[in-house]
């Protein structure tokens, strides 16, 4: 039988291997397999065993080297002293133990602290020389990091030049705002690219790039919190004696600092800070995974010093994990307008960060395979970027015996047509086109939507009724419907029937750009549709255009040109267009009737509500700009609201809008949409 010490030695070895493996997944690949809380549990267990059995501890424990291996392609920066990590406190008892330890070590009855939020981003070390940014590096393994100077120079909120010519090396955290993360993933998903698991991975993946242009195109930001080295000659720097002053000094220099830091004088104040931020943090536009409590006096910090891994004068209070466990009841495959098949986990409803979650997108086959989610599994759920529910991982120990790996269907679940996966895409597609009931459903909804043919009354519910009654098999059938037909539909009164028919009739006069958009060619959004309509004026000349004609138009790339050609070459689509024409749908581009000066009134008639604080421009200027674009900014959300624009820390208006299905858009995404129409906010 193995002795206790042998068993412990084996466990220590196992933990070391686990930590090395998960370090690699997290820091090098930006693809964690386990939650932060589970990782911390391994590190804590190893630390405890190494402390208990010092004879089994290696000279250099892996837990002293938390971090990734810097990639040599990026250029390596060496650190001296090493860039340390922090010890963790997981509950108030452990926090109190830290407090008592510091009190004893400093021999002070009531030492004061600075409390800060712990940003869940990517640790960076930046050197400023006489006020100029000269070097930036990731933390790497704490001794060597990657040189990311050119990339960090492209992050807008990190100043290249400080307000004063100081020479110092500082430390901070680069992060991606939640709103930017959500917009980025939405775009990547639309384009069939792999999505990032969370804002931290998105930030890491955006910063650790050989091409600084990529970093520049992603919305990254940073907060700074520590001076590592100073130029002793500098009189400004020599006056700083506390952590609190450090943060204030950073602000004076123009460096971004997380503004919710607080000076505390008693343990109760620290506890209050913890209790407040445990809840409030959900409202921020960046992820935090804890708080950092630091002895305020820098001289006393130096006196306490550090261990191999972490300073003795600070502790990270880790928030309890936000992940909750639930069961996968089913895996549903939905078919989108362009035929993309998206798997969704149907969950036993569970509360996560303030709302009940019963579905979580599994995005595509690669992600589903990697996570190996199966029907019947127990899974951990969290909200990525605080909004979108996602499956973090499967708890394999709880997996029932009879489960089988989920197989992506080879036939479309809606129409039975073959499903294909193109080699360069993450997505599977149904090949059924308009013969697929789901694609048809989504296409009809899109065709009638506000930005397309704007047919009021042709929403999801009506489309479902029309499909059930088999009144429509293709979009042109919409224009064949009569009032009498509609009256036979369940729950359809004569008023709704008259209104819908009127609205359908009215839509025949829409301009060509709307029709092109409504037809739903892949990659052809509103902007591309407008460019095509302006260029060709009639559907007929668009139909006659060659690939070269299309690809030579500024703003129309090969992808759009290819898609238009494919769409227009299919006999079924040609027939639909012919029928639409015969049924009286306008096929020409109607120059905007709005006077030239007002051409940009894209929001005319829209009732818009704002909630939260806005980063791009102050709210007042935003309101003014929306009004210039023809929108009407109103103060409260109702079913008549067309759009709610959400800034940082949104209020109850967001919940209300979500409750009554009013369209909601994040600030960043709204500005991106406007930019696509060539509209940018006023410079203020
Ligand atoms: S202090 C020696 N302050 O958390 C100083 N760290 O889990 C140690 N972090 O590696 C760092 N926000 O990357 C400090 N306000 C903050 C922080 C912070 C985030 C990160 C940092 C560190 C990790 C430790």
């Amino acid at each position: 039988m193995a002795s206790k010490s042998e068993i412990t030695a084996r466990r220590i070895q196992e933990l070391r291997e686990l930590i090395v493996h998960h370090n690699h997944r997290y820091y090098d690949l930006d693809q964690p397999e386990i939650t932060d809380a589970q990782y911390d549990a391994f590190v804590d267990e190893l630390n405890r065993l190494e402390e208990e059995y010092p004879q089994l501890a290696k000279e250099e424990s892996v837990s002293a080297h938390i971090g990734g291996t810097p990639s040599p392609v990026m250029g390596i920066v060496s650190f001296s002293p090493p860039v340390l990590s922090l010890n963790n406190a997981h509950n108030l008892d452990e926090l109190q133990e830290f407090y008592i330890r510091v009190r004893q070590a400093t021999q002070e009855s009531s030492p004061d602290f600075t409390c800060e939020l712990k940003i869940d981003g990517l640790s960076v070390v930046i050197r400023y020389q006489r006020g100029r940014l000269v070097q930036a590096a990731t933390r790497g393994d704490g001794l060597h990091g990657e040189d990311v100077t050119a990339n960090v120079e492209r992050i807008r909120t990190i100043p290249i030049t400080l307000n004063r010519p100081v020479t110092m090396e500082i430390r901070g955290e680069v992060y991606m705002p939640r709103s930017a993360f959500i917009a980025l993933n939405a775009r990547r998903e639309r384009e069939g690219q792999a999505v990032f698991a969370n804002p931290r991975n998105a930030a890491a993946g955006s910063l650790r790039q050989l091409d600084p242009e990529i970093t520049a195109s992603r919305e990254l930001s940073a907060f700074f919190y520590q001076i590592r080295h100073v130029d002793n000659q500098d009189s400004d720097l020599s006056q700083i004696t506390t952590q609190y002053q450090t943060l204030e000094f950073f602000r004076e220099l123009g460096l971004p600092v997380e503004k919710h830091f607080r000076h505390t004088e008693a343990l109760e104040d620290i506890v209050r800070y913890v209790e407040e931020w445990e809840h409030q943090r959900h409202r921020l536009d960046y992820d935090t995974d804890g708080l950092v409590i630091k002895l305020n006096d820098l001289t006393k910090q130096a006196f306490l010093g550090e261990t191999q891994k972490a300073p003795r004068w600070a502790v990270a209070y880790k928030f309890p994990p936000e992940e909750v466990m639930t069961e996968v009841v089913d895996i549903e495959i939905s078919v989108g307008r362009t035929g993309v098949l998206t798997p969704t986990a149907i969950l036993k409803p569970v509360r996560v960060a303030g709302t009940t979650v019963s579905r979580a997108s599994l995005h595509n086959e690669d992600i589903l395979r990697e996570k190996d989610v199966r029907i019947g599994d127990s899974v951990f759920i969290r909200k990525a970027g605080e909004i979108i529910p996602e499956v973090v991982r499967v708890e394999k120990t709880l997996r029932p015996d009879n489960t089988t790996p989920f197989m992506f269907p080879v036939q479309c679940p809606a129409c039975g047509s073959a499903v294909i996966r193109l080699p360069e895409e993450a997505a599977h597609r149904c090949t059924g086109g308009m013969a697929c009931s789901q694609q048809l459903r989504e296409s009809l909804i899109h065709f009638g939507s506000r930005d397309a043919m704007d047919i009021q009354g042709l929403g999801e519910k009506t489309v479902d009724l029309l499909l059930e009654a088999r009144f429509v098999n293709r979009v042109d059938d919409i224009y064949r419907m009569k009032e009498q037909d509609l009256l036979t539909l369940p729950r359809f009164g004569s008023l709704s029937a008259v209104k819908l028919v009127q609205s359908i009739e009215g839509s025949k006069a829409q301009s060509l750009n709307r029709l092109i958009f409504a037809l739903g060619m892949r990659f052809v959004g509103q902007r591309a549709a407008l460019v095509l309509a302006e260029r060709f004026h009639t559907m007929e000349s668009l139909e006659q255009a060659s690939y070269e004609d299309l690809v030579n138009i500024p703003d129309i790339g090969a992808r759009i040109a290819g898609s238009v050609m494919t769409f227009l070459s299919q006999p079924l689509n040609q027939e639909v267009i012919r029928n639409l024409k015969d049924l009286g749908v306008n096929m020409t581009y109607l120059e905007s009737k709005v006077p030239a000066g007002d051409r940009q009134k894209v929001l005319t008639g829209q009732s818009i509500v704002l909630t939260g604080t806005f980063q791009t421009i102050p709210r007042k200027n935003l309101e003014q700009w929306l009004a210039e674009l023809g929108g009407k900014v109103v103060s409260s959300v109702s079913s008549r609201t067309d759009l709610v624009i959400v800034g940082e820390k949104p209020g109850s208006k967001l919940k209300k809008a979500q409750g009554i299905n009013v369209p909601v858009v994040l600030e960043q995404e709204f500005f991106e949409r406007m930019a696509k129409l060539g509209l940018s906010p006023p410079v203020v």
Side-chain angles (χ1 to χ4, degrees):
M1 227 178 80
S3 70
K4 184 151 184 247
S5 137
E6 272 166 11
I7 295 171
T8 311
R10 225 177 285 153
R11 179 64 183 157
I12 287 181
Q13 186 51 30
E14 188 178 45
L15 286 167
R16 283 184 185 142
E17 282 166 16
L18 277 169
I19 291 170
V20 168
H21 170 77
H22 290 299
N23 271 348
H24 177 63
R25 299 286 313 185
Y26 186 89
Y27 290 102
D28 300 332
L29 304 180
D30 300 324
Q31 285 173 341
E33 287 172 338
I34 57 172
T35 66
D36 291 359
Q38 287 170 314
Y39 175 83
D40 286 348
F42 288 148
V43 174
D44 288 346
E45 188 185 346
L46 179 61
N47 282 340
R48 213 186 55 241
L49 290 176
E50 285 184 340
E51 242 172 70
E52 234 174 277
Y53 298 86
Q55 70 280 16
L56 298 176
K58 279 199 183 160
E59 245 173 55
E60 277 217 326
S61 167
V62 283
S63 63
H65 277 284
I66 310 299
T69 325
S71 158
V73 237
M74 306 218 34
I76 290 184
V77 174
S78 300
F79 301 121
S80 163
V83 186
L84 297 180
S85 186
L86 289 168
N87 286 323
N88 293 332
H90 295 101
N91 49 49
L92 292 178
D93 286 344
E94 288 179 15
L95 182 63
Q96 188 175 13
E97 284 165 22
F98 161 78
Y99 181 82
I100 293 169
R101 269 201 309 276
V102 173
R103 204 165 60 179
Q104 280 167 351
T106 53
Q107 302 196 323
E108 259 191 278
S109 59
S110 182
D112 59 326
F113 291 85
T114 295
C115 301
E116 299 163 23
L117 297 187
K118 183 164 158 5
I119 311 303
D120 195 8
L122 190 71
S123 204
V124 288
V125 174
I126 299 190
R127 284 181 55 75
Y128 282 95
Q129 211 147 27
R130 280 184 239 106
R132 242 200 107 70
L133 190 156
V134 290
Q135 188 176 62
T138 63
R139 178 171 175 254
D141 61 4
L143 295 170
H144 314 278
E146 286 155 344
D147 188 334
V148 285
T149 314
N151 299 0
V152 164
E153 280 173 349
R154 306 298 302 271
I155 299 178
R156 267 190 307 125
T157 49
I158 301 184
I160 305 269
T161 319
L162 299 176
N163 292 335
R164 282 188 230 164
V166 281
T167 295
M168 60 179 186
E169 184 173 291
I170 60 171
R171 183 165 172 193
E173 206 79 0
V174 167
Y175 67 92
M176 181 176 286
R178 287 172 178 159
S179 46
F181 158 75
I182 289 164
L184 174 66
N185 261 4
R187 200 174 67 226
R188 290 174 72 89
E189 183 136 30
R190 272 199 306 275
E191 292 171 359
Q193 296 185 55
V195 294
F196 288 108
N198 51 50
R200 201 210 82 89
N201 291 124
S206 304
L207 186 65
R208 301 173 66 205
Q209 288 284 346
L210 287 172
D211 179 4
E213 284 306 317
I214 298 182
T215 311
S217 73
R218 309 268 172 85
E219 197 197 322
L220 293 178
S221 208
F223 288 128
F224 292 89
Y225 48 75
Q226 196 198 12
I227 301 180
R228 279 172 47 78
H229 277 304
V230 292
D231 172 1
N232 291 333
Q233 315 295 312
D234 193 304
S235 61
D236 275 340
L237 286 168
S238 58
Q239 276 167 26
I240 295 167
T241 60
T242 65
Q243 170 64 12
Y244 198 86
Q245 285 170 358
T246 304
L247 298 177
E248 286 190 320
F249 181 59
F250 278 180
R251 287 216 279 218
E252 277 171 43
L253 292 176
L255 286 161
V257 171
E258 206 296 320
K259 63 181 179 197
H260 300 103
F261 62 94
R262 190 181 297 170
H263 180 226
T264 56
E265 298 198 317
L267 178 60
E268 295 78 70
D269 296 337
I270 303 179
V271 172
R272 203 167 313 125
Y273 188 77
V274 168
E275 285 168 354
E276 272 173 36
W277 282 102
E278 209 143 46
H279 305 290
Q280 300 230 50
R281 69 196 184 104
H282 297 303
R283 298 162 56 171
L284 300 170
D285 194 30
Y286 35 87
D287 278 3
T288 51
D289 57 346
L291 305 171
V292 188
I293 294 108
K294 299 173 182 173
L295 181 61
N296 198 28
D297 188 308
L298 299 182
T299 317
K300 287 178 193 150
Q301 283 188 2
F303 174 71
L304 259 65
E306 34 267 330
T307 65
Q308 221 189 84
K309 179 201 155 200
R312 292 195 186 85
W313 44 263
V315 77
Y317 176 87
K318 298 285 271 198
F319 292 128
E322 270 177 86
E323 289 102 356
V324 291
M325 206 198 262
T326 186
E327 257 173 58
V328 178
V329 183
D330 198 0
I331 295 177
E332 208 178 76
I333 299 279
S334 61
V335 187
R337 175 165 61 85
T338 56
V340 171
L341 268 54
T342 306
T344 302
I346 309 299
L347 308 164
K348 211 161 139 187
V350 68
R351 294 279 296 177
V352 193
T355 60
T356 302
V357 169
S358 54
R359 311 166 62 86
S361 173
L362 295 163
H363 305 291
N364 57 45
E365 187 188 28
D366 293 345
I367 292 184
L368 197 149
R369 275 254 172 90
E370 194 183 300
K371 294 190 174 161
D372 188 17
V373 179
R374 305 180 184 187
I375 298 169
D377 267 341
S378 293
V379 288
F380 282 97
I381 302 294
R382 75 166 163 215
K383 291 220 188 120
E386 207 63 37
I387 301 183
I388 302 166
E390 66 163 2
V391 173
V392 185
R393 69 180 181 91
V394 172
E395 179 55 64
K396 300 247 168 77
T397 56
L398 295 178
R399 174 170 279 170
D401 292 337
N402 56 356
T403 65
T404 45
F406 184 80
M407 298 298 286
F408 232 81
V410 288
Q411 286 182 316
C412 171
C415 71
S417 303
V419 165
I420 52 160
R421 181 177 171 171
L422 298 177
E424 72 279 15
E425 287 198 349
H428 282 70
R429 280 173 199 285
C430 157
T431 51
M434 284 309 106
C436 169
S437 56
Q438 272 303 308
Q439 281 190 61
L440 175 61
R441 175 181 188 270
E442 301 304 320
S443 302
L444 291 169
I445 295 169
H446 171 74
F447 189 86
S449 66
R450 198 191 322 239
D451 294 335
M453 298 302 271
D454 194 15
I455 304 175
Q456 275 163 43
L458 193 68
E460 281 187 32
K461 282 199 188 113
T462 308
V463 166
D464 284 340
L465 290 175
L466 296 176
L467 286 171
E468 218 164 284
R470 298 187 183 275
F471 283 168
V472 278
N473 293 311
R474 288 192 324 216
V475 287
D476 46 312
D477 289 336
I478 294 174
Y479 293 98
R480 294 195 180 89
M481 283 184 311
K482 307 264 172 319
E483 253 166 67
Q484 309 78 290
D485 300 329
L486 295 174
L487 284 172
T488 64
L489 297 175
R491 297 184 301 282
F492 228 86
S494 57
L495 189 63
S496 349
V498 171
K499 273 191 166 169
L500 181 54
V501 170
Q502 271 176 2
S503 187
I504 291 172
E505 268 307 300
S507 76
K508 289 182 180 172
Q510 295 287 18
S511 176
L512 178 65
N513 51 313
R514 279 181 173 264
L515 178 61
I516 296 174
F517 176 59
L519 288 172
M521 307 175 201
R522 276 188 78 200
F523 310 124
V524 180
Q526 274 175 282
R527 166 98 191 130
L530 184 63
V531 170
L532 292 171
E534 277 178 339
R535 170 76 176 70
F536 293 101
H537 278 266
T538 65
M539 183 63 94
E540 208 179 345
S541 56
L542 173 64
E543 285 178 304
Q544 282 160 7
S546 69
Y547 176 80
E548 279 68 36
D549 292 339
L550 292 169
V551 88
N552 283 331
I553 305 171
D555 290 345
I556 302 290
R559 207 168 60 149
I560 296 181
S563 165
V564 174
M565 289 306 288
T566 312
F567 186 93
L568 293 175
S569 66
Q570 284 167 11
L572 183 73
N573 295 331
Q574 291 169 354
E575 197 185 319
V576 166
I577 294 171
R578 210 168 33 245
N579 289 343
L580 287 172
K581 191 176 171 201
D582 293 346
L583 288 158
V585 174
N586 168 55
M587 296 276 152
T588 56
Y589 175 54
L590 308 171
E591 298 283 349
S592 172
K593 292 194 190 72
V594 190
D598 285 349
R599 287 265 325 254
Q600 307 292 45
K601 288 198 178 282
V602 287
L603 301 176
T604 298
Q606 301 228 8
S607 159
I608 300 168
V609 172
L610 305 179
T611 176
T613 42
F614 295 90
Q615 305 300 309
T616 318
I617 49 170
R619 179 188 276 245
K620 259 188 136 166
N621 302 75
L622 176 57
E623 282 178 5
Q624 204 181 341
W625 187 50
L626 294 172
E628 281 165 18
L629 297 177
K632 195 169 140 213
V633 180
V634 294
S635 57
S636 60
V637 176
S638 76
S639 59
R640 283 198 299 275
T641 309
D642 293 294
L643 185 67
V644 177
I645 308 179
V646 182
E648 205 175 296
K649 292 194 228 158
S652 59
K653 291 177 197 168
L654 171 61
K655 276 222 169 80
K656 169 132 195 233
Q658 286 170 329
I660 56 172
N661 279 335
V662 166
V664 169
V665 64
L666 294 167
E667 176 185 0
Q668 167 75 11
E669 209 182 323
F670 174 76
F671 284 108
E672 272 180 22
R673 275 193 209 169
M674 290 295 119
K676 281 194 192 128
L677 298 172
L679 301 169
S680 46
V683 182
V684 287

